[in-house]
Amino acid sequence: MTENASIKPLFESFHSQNLSLPNRTVMAPMTRGFSPGNVPGEDVAAYYRRRAENDVGLIVTEGTGINHPASVSGSSIPVFHGESSLNGWENVVKEVHEAGGKIVPQLWHVGMTRQVGDLPNKNAMPVGPSGLTLDGEKISEPMTEQEVSDMVEAYAQAAADAKRIGFDGIEIHGAHGYLIDQFLWEQTNQRTDKYGGDLTSRTRFAVEIVEACRNKVGPDFPIIFRFSQWKMNDYKAKIANSPSELEKILQPLVEAGVDIFHCSTRRFWEPEFEESSLNLAGWTKKLSGKPVISVGSVGLDGEFTSGTSANTTSLDGLMKKLENDEFDLVAIGRSLLMDPAWVAKIRDGRADELKPFSKEALSTLY
């Protein structure tokens, strides 16, 4: 990899109403599955600390399950409730802060993507707005309004716990076809009550979660909301087919208390709508007026959903968009998974030392 463009925009400090960072780099959330018993241990803490030691501006943890029996699939996926798991996360925070970094947990519920019988609670049925999988198969009954209310409270409690144990903010996972996104997406939300129907109504669940979290953590604690158009089973899916539809999703979330939007795409350089070269993050910034994080195959020549290896590539296009103020922060996934020193190497002009991504990296905590 030869880096010709100035990387200066990536290393300017970032300041928003509730968050200040030394540069524009973010470690993207990536499910790792190295937490036996759903508890992050010393190796997980060291994994995140290595990124902080190498000057990642903000670390977003892998998805971590809120307090609901069907929030995650697997006994090695971390959760964000219970004394053991929260103590594990408190140690992660301590290690990252000692290294001079900042970190937020990604609060997660997988919804109807969970298979019947999955651990850690094999008797817990998957839940979702209409009991439908992403492919439209009915597996369980729609969530009752009381179940929806209890779920909102579970997110809020996780937010309160995140603040209590020292995190620098939270990220709410509303992307990729998981629970919150299942409410946003018409295909999985067939409800006829106040949580279903038109786009504004389908946004209500997400809005109530943000409002409840904001109520718990107060006005100064950063809330990031991650969303996407694509789903794990359908890369062409959209919750918004036009800028006006996207605005109908974003504005209620802004009013509810979102500070930063994390706009998940598979390839950051692709335009979101036909009438502009702006990507999803660019449109989100324009429509919401809030800072945004862009993501999608940064520094690599193949998207992560392909499941294959990828080579390093130029950052020229990324720097141009960043310099044009199309987005504020840049999330790096596989490049940072493979190489904890990626940010430091880019900053110090050591691009020739960058490592290509190998899918074998998924089985190791580098």
Side-chain angles (χ1 to χ4, degrees):
M1 173 175 172
T2 302
E3 199 54 65
N4 298 315
S6 168
I7 47 87
K8 183 180 177 182
L10 197 59
F11 292 94
E12 293 177 354
S13 60
F14 168 79
H15 303 281
S16 68
Q17 182 177 348
N18 288 344
L19 184 66
S20 293
L21 302 173
N23 60 52
R24 304 302 178 107
T25 64
V26 176
M27 181 179 181
M30 291 172 283
T31 299
R32 302 311 316 275
F34 284 88
S35 298
N38 307 108
V39 176
E42 292 289 349
D43 55 343
V44 173
Y47 162 79
Y48 288 116
R49 178 178 180 130
R50 284 191 288 275
R51 276 77 188 163
E53 288 172 340
N54 283 281
D55 297 326
V56 173
L58 176 68
I59 293 168
V60 182
T61 74
E62 61 207 285
T64 179
I66 62 169
N67 189 8
H68 183 272
S71 64
V72 298
S73 291
S75 59
S76 61
I77 304 296
V79 297
F80 208 79
H81 60 89
E83 184 177 2
S84 296
S85 291
L86 290 175
N87 285 344
W89 283 119
E90 188 170 19
N91 185 51
V92 170
V93 172
K94 178 179 74 72
E95 292 291 334
V96 167
H97 284 172
E98 282 181 1
K102 291 190 175 182
I103 185 169
V104 301
Q106 187 189 64
L107 306 180
W108 191 28
H109 192 297
V110 301
M112 295 299 301
T113 67
R114 188 177 191 272
Q115 301 296 310
V116 175
D118 277 355
L119 294 173
N121 301 303
K122 63 181 181 179
N123 294 323
M125 287 294 287
V127 300
S130 301
L132 301 173
T133 68
L134 300 187
D135 295 316
E137 182 183 359
K138 191 173 192 304
I139 298 294
S140 57
E141 293 302 310
M143 293 170 67
T144 66
E145 289 197 13
Q146 184 59 54
E147 287 172 328
V148 171
S149 178
D150 291 345
M151 194 72 78
V152 169
E153 177 56 32
Y155 276 97
Q157 184 58 52
D161 286 334
K163 183 175 182 178
R164 176 179 59 82
I165 64 178
F167 277 96
D168 299 293
I170 59 168
E171 176 169 290
I172 298 168
H173 195 344
H176 306 160
Y178 295 118
L179 180 62
I180 295 173
D181 197 21
Q182 288 161 21
F183 275 83
L184 294 172
W185 196 28
E186 189 172 19
Q187 183 164 315
T188 45
N189 185 345
Q190 302 292 314
R191 300 177 73 96
T192 56
D193 64 359
K194 62 184 180 180
Y195 295 102
D198 63 18
L199 190 50
T200 301
S201 297
R202 296 199 306 272
T203 306
R204 183 187 293 270
F205 179 57
V207 165
E208 289 187 0
I209 288 169
V210 175
E211 288 175 340
C213 290
R214 178 57 72 201
N215 185 53
K216 287 281 190 180
V217 300
D220 301 324
F221 194 68
I223 295 178
I224 303 168
F225 187 86
R226 193 179 211 211
F227 76 102
S228 68
Q229 298 267 39
W230 66 273
K231 319 302 170 204
M232 290 183 295
N233 71 323
D234 185 355
Y235 298 147
K236 295 182 178 180
K238 288 184 179 292
I239 54 174
N241 291 296
S242 66
S244 62
E245 288 189 354
L246 181 58
E247 189 170 21
K248 288 179 181 178
I249 297 168
L250 297 174
Q251 281 308 129
L253 289 166
V254 169
E255 293 166 13
V258 170
D259 293 299
I260 297 172
F261 287 99
H262 189 171
C263 310
S264 179
T265 55
R266 295 165 66 222
R267 295 176 283 256
F268 77 85
W269 57 87
E270 292 186 341
E272 189 55 45
F273 302 114
E274 289 182 359
E275 54 261 55
S276 167
S277 63
L278 292 175
N279 70 2
L280 184 62
W283 272 110
T284 298
K285 181 173 184 174
K286 180 177 181 178
L287 295 170
S288 71
K290 290 292 184 179
V292 295
I293 305 169
S294 188
V295 68
S297 302
V298 171
L300 295 172
D301 64 359
E303 70 272 11
F304 69 96
T305 47
S306 68
T308 59
S309 300
N311 293 313
T312 58
T313 189
S314 171
L315 297 179
D316 292 9
L318 179 75
M319 291 305 116
K320 184 176 181 180
K321 284 183 171 292
L322 194 56
E323 202 160 24
N324 288 344
D325 205 29
E326 292 182 25
F327 40 77
D328 304 274
L329 297 163
V330 176
I332 302 106
R334 290 166 299 152
S335 293
L336 263 177
L337 185 151
M338 186 79 193
D339 187 354
W342 189 91
V343 170
K345 288 176 180 178
I346 292 290
R347 180 199 62 208
D348 297 340
R350 295 185 287 140
D352 58 328
E353 297 179 23
L354 296 176
K355 301 173 183 177
F357 174 75
S358 167
K359 61 183 180 179
E360 282 71 37
L362 300 174
S363 60
T364 305
L365 283 178
Y366 282 117

